[in-house]
Amino acid sequence: MSGGLAQGAQPREAPAVAPPPAAPGRRDDAPPPWRRGLAATGRFAKRRISFLCVLAAASWGVLREAVRPLSWRRTVRHEFRITMRQATIGGLATTFVTASLTGFAMVSQALYWLGVAGQAGLAGSLLVTVLVRELTPLLVGLILLGRSGMLTLTEFGMLKVGGQVRTMISQGIDPFLLLVLPRTLAMSLSGFTLGILFATVALVMGFIVSAALGTTQDSLWTFLDKVVSAMTVQDYMVIPAKLFAIGYLVGLSSCLTGLTAKPEDDLASLMPRGFVRGILVIMVTSILLTLAV
């Protein structure tokens, strides 16, 4: 019987073996390496260009709102006065010391070596081109960035991370009008004021040192007249434009860096980011205006 059952029994099929599970993180439809590399490049470029787009849009927004009387409410005017006092009056001592050192190190040396070379007549044009037109906006921009820009960045970053900005929006308060508009315009005016003071102090201190060393025989008014006479129409256009634009963009860049902070950001990440952006804004603005005029 056992033999008959063995002959009539159907053979059993071998159990199906499940395919091994795919390795974690790998899929059969994963994009090729070149596509992943292209996507990574796009994400990197997007992160870098996005801030420039935000900066350009906010620049136009500040200029548009600045000419509207309804934008200048009492709280906005109060914020503007506070920022002007902090940026301008608070930066006077730093500007005076920096300009004095610049005059001692640059103006006096320029007058000395031009006198030795018999080219004292070129002192006016040299000082206008190098000191007043190029060096003054850069150093004033750094002073604004270090004294006022970092303070604004820290304050706005903490407001953003702490949720106070969201609270202001829920109460119907526009942070752009209350915070960004007055601080940006105040730092623009402060940049022009400190720039004129810087150039004047540097020239006067450089002349005083040169007169004490006996390297110049001119009077102070004659020396200043030579410098002013060496200025061209382009200089009268580009120097104020640089001072206003650098102060404007330093203030706006600091405000936007703070207001675009993420919940995981802290001062250790915000301040280096804001400082690098401020340096780039100062350098690029100065170069573009020099090439444009």
Side-chain angles (χ1 to χ4, degrees):
M1 182 179 292
S2 61
L5 290 175
Q7 291 178 359
Q10 297 294 332
R12 295 182 180 180
E13 296 181 356
V17 179
R26 298 185 60 184
R27 298 183 304 175
D28 295 338
D29 58 344
W34 65 268
R35 185 173 296 180
R36 293 196 299 269
L38 188 61
T41 303
R43 287 191 296 268
F44 177 81
K46 182 180 178 180
R47 286 195 298 267
R48 297 301 181 270
I49 297 176
S50 61
F51 182 77
L52 294 178
C53 296
V54 173
L55 185 65
S59 299
W60 170 249
V62 170
L63 294 177
R64 186 185 64 178
E65 295 295 336
V67 298
R68 297 180 58 188
L70 293 178
S71 300
W72 293 95
R73 302 180 184 273
R74 181 174 57 86
T75 53
V76 178
R77 297 196 303 269
H78 178 69
E79 187 71 22
F80 178 81
R81 288 192 296 267
I82 291 178
T83 306
M84 278 292 297
R85 188 180 305 113
Q86 187 276 331
T88 306
I89 299 179
L92 287 178
T94 305
T95 302
F96 185 85
V97 173
T98 307
S100 300
L101 294 176
T102 304
F104 175 78
M106 179 181 175
V107 178
S108 62
Q109 292 297 312
L111 294 177
Y112 173 77
W113 288 109
L114 288 175
V116 171
Q119 301 293 330
L122 299 177
S125 59
L126 178 64
L127 292 176
V128 168
T129 303
V130 178
L131 174 65
V132 182
R133 180 170 175 166
E134 301 298 335
L135 191 59
T136 295
L138 292 178
L139 293 180
V140 170
L142 291 176
I143 293 173
L144 281 176
L145 177 63
R147 282 194 51 85
S148 303
M150 292 295 100
L151 178 63
T152 298
L153 168 65
T154 303
E155 181 180 353
F156 285 11
M158 294 299 98
L159 290 176
K160 177 67 174 180
V161 174
Q164 286 86 347
V165 174
R166 189 182 301 108
T167 303
M168 293 170 59
I169 296 175
S170 65
Q171 294 175 351
I173 301 174
D174 189 353
F176 186 83
L177 292 179
L178 180 61
L179 301 176
V180 179
L181 173 67
R183 296 211 180 193
T184 301
L185 295 179
M187 291 185 66
S188 180
L189 293 177
S190 178
F192 177 77
T193 304
L194 295 179
I196 298 301
L197 175 66
F198 184 97
T200 304
V201 172
L203 292 172
V204 172
M205 292 300 297
F207 174 82
I208 292 175
V209 174
S210 299
L213 297 176
T215 57
T216 180
Q217 303 300 324
D218 296 331
S219 64
L220 176 60
W221 303 114
T222 303
F223 169 71
L224 294 178
D225 180 70
K226 289 181 179 180
V227 174
V228 174
S229 300
M231 295 181 64
T232 62
V233 177
Q234 289 79 7
D235 293 325
Y236 283 104
M237 295 173 57
V238 72
I239 293 172
K242 279 189 176 185
L243 294 175
F244 278 118
I246 287 177
Y248 182 91
L249 292 176
V250 165
L252 186 58
S253 174
S254 302
C255 292
L256 294 179
T257 302
L259 291 178
T260 55
K262 299 179 180 179
E264 63 271 14
D265 286 331
D266 54 7
L267 292 181
S269 60
L270 278 177
M271 295 191 69
R273 186 188 310 160
F275 183 77
V276 171
R277 288 176 177 177
I279 292 294
L280 291 177
V281 162
I282 294 171
M283 299 296 295
V284 172
T285 303
S286 179
I287 293 173
L288 291 180
L289 289 177
T290 298
L291 296 176
V293 182

